[in-house]
Amino acid sequence: MGCFGFLKTMMFLFNGIIFLAGAAILGVGIWVKVDSGSVLSFLQNIQGAPGELGQVLNVGYLLIAVGAVLVILGFLGCCGAIRESKCMLLLFFIIILLVFIAEVAGAIVLLVFKPLAENLIKQVGTEVVKSIRNDYGKNPDVTGLWNTTMTSLKCCGFNNYTDFTNSYFVNDTESYPFQCCHRVPCIEITAFNSTVPGCFPALKKLVDDNAVIIIGVALGIAALELAAMIVSMILYCKIGSKRD
């Protein structure tokens, strides 16, 4: 019973942290979407903050989704352990298992079907370029997302500056986004002579340069998920044996 009580306590504390973190992320996400004006004002009043920080408004739905999943997991883990609910513990185990399987499947697809993944990314890239040419400079959400991406990664377009050629933005302003050049005005000849890479090559290089860190983090997350599944299943079995 000492071991059982210890596992219950650890399960409660671990999932309590997950629940609180999820609630905080969910709250920020809802605040960002419901009261975007005050959020933007708050971000603009932060001393020394970059202007691109305001683009956090574009990730509101992502924050809500991530926060909701974490809140559900934390609630199931906490209540399942404290109330000794087999149903909650089993549901917690299933959700973690599904996430774990999806992560493993994704890793296998990337490793085994790398050429297929690259072709898929190229196909997606074609649609992304169409979106850039049609919506950049016209749609505030698309424009803000690309401005943040290009500024953060120091890149231009999906492939390179030519993604903006004959686009709405270039036709309207007769210039390319300032991120595509090392100096302004950023006209076609300046962009052509610039060494600014496309965002996809820049992101690929960033991943390659930090592969060891990414693998370490992925393995750490997988280990935590495995530990959570093992503990939840031990508690599930112990509760069943106690009732029998």
Side-chain angles (χ1 to χ4, degrees):
M1 289 302 292
C3 180
F4 178 73
F6 173 75
L7 289 177
K8 275 181 63 177
T9 303
M10 292 304 297
M11 188 78 170
F12 175 80
L13 291 175
F14 178 73
N15 285 284
I17 293 170
I18 290 178
F19 180 85
L20 292 175
I25 294 171
L26 180 62
V28 170
I30 293 172
W31 178 37
V32 164
K33 297 312 297 181
V34 172
D35 196 14
S36 57
S38 64
V39 175
L40 189 59
S41 175
F42 170 75
L43 294 174
Q44 288 172 342
N45 288 331
I46 298 176
Q47 229 175 7
E52 292 79 16
L53 192 61
Q55 299 306 326
V56 72
L57 299 179
N58 296 322
V59 299
Y61 290 120
L62 178 62
L63 293 176
I64 291 172
V66 171
V69 171
L70 291 177
V71 165
I72 292 170
L73 278 175
F75 175 78
L76 289 173
C78 283
C79 289
I82 295 301
R83 298 185 61 187
E84 298 187 3
S85 169
K86 292 181 68 177
C87 179
M88 286 184 174
L89 287 172
L90 184 60
L91 192 54
F92 175 85
F93 175 85
I94 291 171
I95 293 174
I96 296 288
L97 179 63
L98 290 175
V99 172
F100 184 77
I101 291 172
E103 290 170 350
V104 172
I108 292 172
V109 168
L110 287 176
L111 291 173
V112 179
F113 301 102
K114 192 175 179 182
L116 182 63
E118 289 178 350
N119 288 333
L120 181 62
I121 290 171
K122 286 179 182 176
Q123 291 175 11
V124 172
T126 303
E127 297 303 316
V128 170
V129 172
K130 287 181 183 177
S131 173
I132 289 174
R133 290 180 176 164
N134 294 329
D135 299 325
Y136 185 85
K138 184 193 297 183
N139 185 315
D141 291 332
V142 172
T143 306
L145 182 60
W146 273 107
N147 282 339
T148 303
T149 303
M150 292 191 293
T151 303
S152 301
L153 295 178
K154 295 180 174 57
C155 59
C156 173
F158 184 81
N159 300 299
N160 51 45
Y161 81 95
T162 59
D163 294 343
F164 290 96
T165 302
N166 295 323
S167 66
Y168 169 84
F169 180 81
V170 170
N171 291 336
D172 185 53
T173 64
E174 297 183 353
S175 66
Y176 286 73
F178 71 89
Q179 295 96 334
C180 297
C181 303
H182 293 298
R183 57 190 176 87
V184 291
C186 188
I187 57 177
E188 186 168 8
I189 187 63
T190 312
F192 176 78
N193 292 323
S194 173
T195 56
V196 178
C199 290
F200 177 62
L203 182 60
K204 190 172 182 295
K205 183 178 183 301
L206 182 66
V207 171
D208 290 340
D209 292 344
N210 296 279
V212 175
I213 297 174
I214 293 171
I215 291 171
V217 171
L219 289 174
I221 292 172
L224 284 174
E225 289 171 347
L226 281 171
M229 286 190 288
I230 291 169
V231 171
S232 63
M233 191 47 59
I234 290 173
L235 291 176
Y236 177 86
C237 295
K238 285 281 187 183
I239 291 168
S241 63
K242 277 176 64 181
R243 289 177 180 173
D244 291 339

